[in-house]
């Protein structure tokens, strides 16, 4: 179970990287679309036929952030109870809590753009927490003493 925990934590950290890549791809594509003389207004945003290079980035970012990553976080927390190493549950809980913050910040940023700053910052917290959880699991796998972090 420790190996499963470690792999899930790595996947969550990698998903954060994918999220960043997808949203930049989408925004860059939207910028080029506008530079090419196209207009984006409320009607265009609601049009299911809106198409530009990178539009898939918005879809991937939304699906990953609203469904895939939360499911991975829940799975990590469940597995943490069976992983049986110091800090497993604590770090899985921190990862899941940062996922919850990320989802709500992403949703709320549509109405309050400054919350997008929290969404961006929290992505680093999520990736760091998941990476740290993975390193803790790796240390437990090889029997090395886990890194301690003052709480």
């Amino acid at each position: 179970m420790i190996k499963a925990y470690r792999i899930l934590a790595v996947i969550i950290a990698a998903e954060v990287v994918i999220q960043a890549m997808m949203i930049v791809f989408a925004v860059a594509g939207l910028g080029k679309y506008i530079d090419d003389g196209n207009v984006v207004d409320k009607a265009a945003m609601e049009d299911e036929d809106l198409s530009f290079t990178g539009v898939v980035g918005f879809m991937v970012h939304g699906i990953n952030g609203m469904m895939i990553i939360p499911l991975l976080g829940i799975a990590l927390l469940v597995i943490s109870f069976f992983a049986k190493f110091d800090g497993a549950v604590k770090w899985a809980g921190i990862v899941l809590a940062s996922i919850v913050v990320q989802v709500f910040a992403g949703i709320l940023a549509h109405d309050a753009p400054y919350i997008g700053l929290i969404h961006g910052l929290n992505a680093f917290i999520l990736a760091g927490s998941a990476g740290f959880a993975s390193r803790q699991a790796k240390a437990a796998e090889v029997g090395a003493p886990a890194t301690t972090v003052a709480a």
Side-chain angles (χ1 to χ4, degrees), residues 13-99:
E15 283 284 358
V16 175
V17 173
I18 291 167
Q19 287 294 87
M21 292 168 57
M22 289 295 106
I23 201 63
V24 170
F25 180 48
V27 171
L30 182 59
K32 179 166 181 352
Y33 179 77
I34 292 167
D35 285 346
D36 288 346
N38 297 292
V39 175
V40 178
D41 57 8
K42 185 174 173 124
M45 293 299 286
E46 293 172 354
D47 183 3
E48 292 181 16
D49 293 330
L50 179 65
S51 182
F52 55 87
T53 301
V55 74
V56 71
F58 285 121
M59 290 183 278
V60 171
H61 190 84
I63 292 168
N64 254 0
M66 296 293 290
M67 292 189 281
I68 306 298
I69 295 173
L71 286 173
L72 291 169
I74 291 167
L76 182 67
L77 184 62
V78 169
I79 288 174
S80 74
F81 291 105
F82 304 100
K84 306 250 192 253
F85 67 90
D86 287 342
V89 175
K90 176 177 98 174
W91 284 101
I94 290 169
V95 168
L96 186 57
S98 65
I99 290 169

Side-chain angles (χ1 to χ4, degrees), residues 80-150:
S80 74
F81 291 105
F82 304 100
K84 306 250 192 253
F85 67 90
D86 287 342
V89 175
K90 176 177 98 174
W91 284 101
I94 290 169
V95 168
L96 186 57
S98 65
I99 290 169
V100 169
V101 168
Q102 196 67 353
V103 169
F104 281 108
I107 291 168
L108 294 173
H110 291 276
D111 292 324
Y114 284 110
I115 294 177
L117 297 170
I118 294 168
H119 188 68
L121 175 62
N122 190 65
F124 288 100
I125 293 168
L126 173 53
S129 299
F132 188 80
S134 170
R135 288 190 301 278
Q136 294 292 93
K138 181 68 172 178
E141 277 183 316
V142 298
T147 306
T148 58
V149 172

